Amino acid sequence: MAKVKVAELREKSQAELTQTLDQYKRDLLDLKVQQVAGAAAAKSSKIRDVRKNIARVLTVITQQNRDAVRAKYAGKKHIPIDLRVKKTRALRRAMTKSEVSRITLRQQKKNIHFARRQYAIKA
């Protein structure tokens, strides 16, 4: 089994990808049966290749599904949690620039009535 190219997989449609996935799963099943029957050690490397190919196909399918959902929610106010930017918990909960710059009414009055004093410096 040759290593499948991800670029080739990205060109395929969803139906073709599921067919490819089914084919690889059948191949894996056949190889495992041969391994139990006592085939050569070379089969174990083929099993590894087929497993990796299955992982690649599943990865491409998942990426395509996520891209489709992302396109669906583009421009909307709320997007699904698993599509949001991960960052860290603290950064997600941090205040925005507009929230930080807001001043309470009491602080506004203090700023007006007790403005910062400016002093002339003697030369």
Side-chain angles (χ1 to χ4, degrees), residues 62-106:
T62 304
Q63 287 174 345
Q64 286 181 353
N65 290 341
R66 288 174 65 92
D67 289 342
V69 173
R70 241 187 218 108
K72 179 182 174 187
Y73 284 96
K76 301 262 173 74
K77 184 175 181 181
H78 300 290
I79 61 171
I81 292 174
D82 60 330
L83 295 180
R84 294 179 192 167
V85 180
K86 179 71 172 147
K87 295 185 182 178
T88 62
R89 190 169 192 268
L91 282 175
R92 288 194 306 268
R93 280 153 180 75
M95 289 192 287
T96 62
K97 290 180 182 179
S98 62
E99 290 171 342
V100 170
S101 64
R102 290 182 68 188
I103 300 173
T104 62
L105 182 64
R106 182 182 174 118

Side-chain angles (χ1 to χ4, degrees), residues 105-117:
L105 182 64
R106 182 182 174 118
Q107 187 61 46
Q108 288 173 358
K109 289 179 180 178
K110 280 185 182 179
N111 291 345
I112 292 170
H113 296 295
F114 303 101
R116 188 170 205 165
R117 294 182 182 159

Side-chain angles (χ1 to χ4, degrees), residues 1 22-32 50:
M1 277 285 134
D22 291 339
Q23 179 61 41
Y24 282 130
K25 285 185 176 182
R26 272 188 251 116
D27 292 346
L28 182 63
L29 184 66
D30 294 341
L31 288 170
K32 284 191 173 186
V50 173

Side-chain angles (χ1 to χ4, degrees), residues 7-18:
E8 294 171 4
L9 290 176
R10 290 190 204 283
E11 295 170 0
K12 293 184 177 183
S13 68
Q14 196 78 14
E16 292 173 333
L17 286 172
T18 53

